[in-house]
Structure formats: structure tokens, C-alpha cells
Amino acid sequence: YLKISKLALAFAIIHSKPPAKSCKEYTEHLAKTVSEQDFGWKSKVEMLEAEVLRLRQKLLLNKICPRFCLENDASAETLMDQEYINPMSYSSQLEDSGCDVSNDCAFDSLGVASDFHQSEHNVNTSKCWLERLTPLNLCCTSKGQSLTAPMQFLQHLLEIRKLSEGGILQADFTELENDSLTICSSVSQLLDGLTIFYNSPGFPVSDFLTEAVCVLISLITDTKLSSHVLKKCFKKFEEFKKNLIQIILRNSSINRFQALHAISHTLVLLGRNNILRHSLITLLLSEVRQFAEQLLQAYQIQAMYDITQYENIFSLCMILEQLLQNETEESNISSPVYDGEEKVRFLKNLDQIILHLSDEFPLFSLYLWRVNVLLNSAQLQ
């Protein structure tokens, strides 16, 4: 049946083609026309799906705490006017690396490296953006602004949690269990948006990165909300961490190191959660081990190796070292020391790798040795 259908379609195209065009040209023209129609429908479907999610977000917030939504809607217009009149801006900018780049504004939006240090304090208190009620404006008008919808929704959840904990509002968080799809979709949207941002650093909103990361960190560190989020979105967080690691390894732009610092700090902040930390350590150990084995093989046969990946691997080593230090510090309190299968694979031939690479690659060998010490810190203690 399929062969007959294809043959009938071929005859139809041949008989209906204009005299000036060949069969191939006419077929390509028809295929382009159909694909454009499909793209139009896909755009409409995406808009409708976004609208459905927006309504689900508003409905869920209303179920959790109707009073909060009423007060919020009353002040939304005034607050939105203030946002447009006095937009948030950050004074810190990327330091000049000394290298010329073709687009001077390419990394302007990443001028928040030093602001990440401020976000460390915001993890517990979230004073910067949770002391005021942001307007419940979950509607989006552009691709860039579309990321504000999930971020504002999650901000409102955190604000309700904070106010209910202080006894100011009464909230029923059991609704999160009944409508897990909404919060899962919102977290997924935000993680996808951050991935897109890190892949293309010329994002128009300079303060978006810091605020979005603060929302995620506050969400997964909140004892009331983290169980709902991690239970439903753990795989999405895993995918997000893998994407960030690959972005670090693949980045070959001239002026990339402060952008890599921003991504690295995001991974370190995510690693503050015990569940995410163990899986992140596993991913990092795997990448560092594979690169060390490839580098040793290239060195032994005197082959070329990827110098860009060699430079970028140090970012992964520094993240890994910091996470293992945190693991060691907390092991005496409540968190178990990392002891996964990847640790065994990493340590298996590490001494031989360090021995062979120490003369040609002393800095990388030193990092491997430091990771080795941290992995064995429990036995040393």
C-alpha cells in the first residue's frame, strides 16, 4: 500500500507540475510549502500550550492561597509600571580578558559573575527578591520574556511558603501533590531556558541569570517544596547538569573563561543539595576520568589532543574539588561521604595516570592528585 501511495503521489506531481519547473524543483517547492504550514501549526500549538500552563499556574496558586493571589492582583499594575520605569540593573560587568572579540556585547549579559557571590547569601534568606510581592504577570510577549512566566510562578510559591511560615498567610501545600504536572512543567521550562541562555550568552536581560538561579536554589533548598520538586523533576535536573557540563567542555570562544565561571558557579550551587550533589560528582568524575585516559593515550602515542578541552577540563576539576570539600565538611554532620561506583573506576588506574602525565602536564596531574586526596579523605580521617 505504501509503495502504491508513493507511486500515485509521484504521478500526481509529474502531471501537475508547471512546464517551467523540473520534477525535482516542483517537489522541493511542495515540500517547503507543507513544512511552512506545519511550522505555523506548531507555533500555534506552542502558544496554546503556554497559555494552558499559565492558567494552570494561576489556578494552582489560587488553590494554595487565594488571599495571596487577590492581594497580588490588586497591586500588579502599579508594580509593573515601577518595573518598566526603574528596571533592575547590576553594576558588575565582565572584566576585560585582553582579547578582542567580534561582538563587544556578546558577553554583556553575563556581567553577573561577581553577583553570584551575592546569590550564595540569597539561598537561605532570598532577601533581594522575596521581600516584596512581585506582580502575578504570567503572560509573555516575546521569546526572552517567555522565561519570566515559570520564574514568577516559582517565586510566588516561595513567597507564599515564606509568608505562611511566618504566620502571615494560611496556605495548603497539599495541592502541589495533586497538581504535580504544573510545577514540573514550570521547573522544566526554567531549566530549558537557562540551558538556552548558557548556549547563547547574548541574552537581552542581564539580571535574568542571577534571579533564575536564585529561584532554583531556593526551591531545592526549601524543606517544604524541595520534596515535591526533586521527586518529579530529578531527571530534568540531571539533564540540565549534563548539558552545562557539555557546554563547559565544548566552549571554544576566545573570551570564554568568565562565562565558564558563571556556569561552574551554578553547578556548585546546585551541588549544595545532597541528592543533586552525589549525582553531579558522579558525572564530573566520569568526564575527568575519560579525559585523563584519552590524554594519557594521546601522550603515549605522541598524538594530538584537544587543547580547548584541556583548558576547559580545569573548570570541571575545580567544581569537583569544591563539591568534594563540601562533602567532606558535611560528612561529620549528616551527609554520607560520596562512595559511588564511579569513584572506584576513577581511582583504579589514577596513580599510573598521574605518574605518566606529571612531567608533561603537571597542573592537570596536580588537580587529579587533589581529587584523589579528597575522595580518600574519609579513610584518612
Side-chain angles (χ1 to χ4, degrees), residues 166-183:
I168 301 172
L169 289 176
Q170 291 184 348
D172 181 15
F173 284 96
T174 57
E175 290 294 336
L176 289 179
E177 199 68 46
N178 300 330
D179 192 5
S180 59
L181 178 61
T182 299
I183 189 169

Side-chain angles (χ1 to χ4, degrees), residues 277-324:
R277 182 195 300 155
H278 284 195
S279 61
L280 180 54
I281 289 174
T282 298
L283 291 172
L284 292 169
L285 283 175
S286 177
E287 290 292 344
V288 174
R289 175 183 59 82
Q290 290 177 38
F291 179 79
E293 292 173 352
Q294 292 170 6
L295 187 63
L296 176 61
Q297 184 179 6
Y299 174 70
Q300 289 175 335
I301 63 175
Q302 296 298 305
M304 296 293 292
Y305 64 93
D306 190 341
I307 184 65
T308 298
Q309 194 170 5
Y310 176 77
E311 292 173 345
N312 293 343
I313 200 71
F314 288 101
S315 294
L316 300 190
C317 291
M318 287 185 281
I319 299 169
L320 183 57
E321 185 177 0
Q322 192 163 347
L323 293 177
L324 289 173

Side-chain angles (χ1 to χ4, degrees), residues 55-162:
L55 294 173
R56 290 178 67 91
Q57 289 169 343
K58 294 187 73 171
L59 181 61
L60 180 57
L61 290 176
N62 189 63
K63 286 180 179 179
I64 294 173
C65 186
R67 178 187 161 192
F68 177 88
C69 295
L70 289 172
E71 291 177 352
N72 207 266
D73 288 335
S75 59
E77 187 175 349
T78 304
L79 287 171
M80 282 303 292
D81 291 339
Q82 292 174 359
E83 285 289 322
Y84 283 112
I85 296 170
N86 300 308
M88 294 176 65
S89 62
Y90 288 87
S91 58
S92 62
Q93 296 295 327
L94 281 179
E95 297 174 4
D96 188 3
S97 68
C99 300
D100 292 332
V101 291
S102 57
N103 183 2
D104 293 337
C105 300
F107 288 95
D108 283 351
S109 60
L110 281 176
V112 291
S114 63
D115 292 311
F116 273 120
H117 300 292
Q118 292 295 329
S119 68
E120 294 182 6
H121 302 288
N122 295 340
V123 169
N124 296 323
T125 60
S126 305
K127 288 182 178 179
C128 288
W129 48 270
L130 284 180
E131 286 296 335
R132 64 182 179 86
L133 294 178
T134 54
L136 185 57
N137 181 32
L138 302 176
C139 162
C140 321
T141 56
S142 69
K143 183 178 180 181
Q145 291 175 340
S146 65
L147 298 174
T148 62
M151 190 164 67
Q152 284 190 3
F153 167 68
L154 298 175
Q155 281 178 333
H156 280 73
L157 275 181
L158 289 164
E159 183 65 31
I160 292 172
R161 169 81 175 100
K162 180 183 175 183

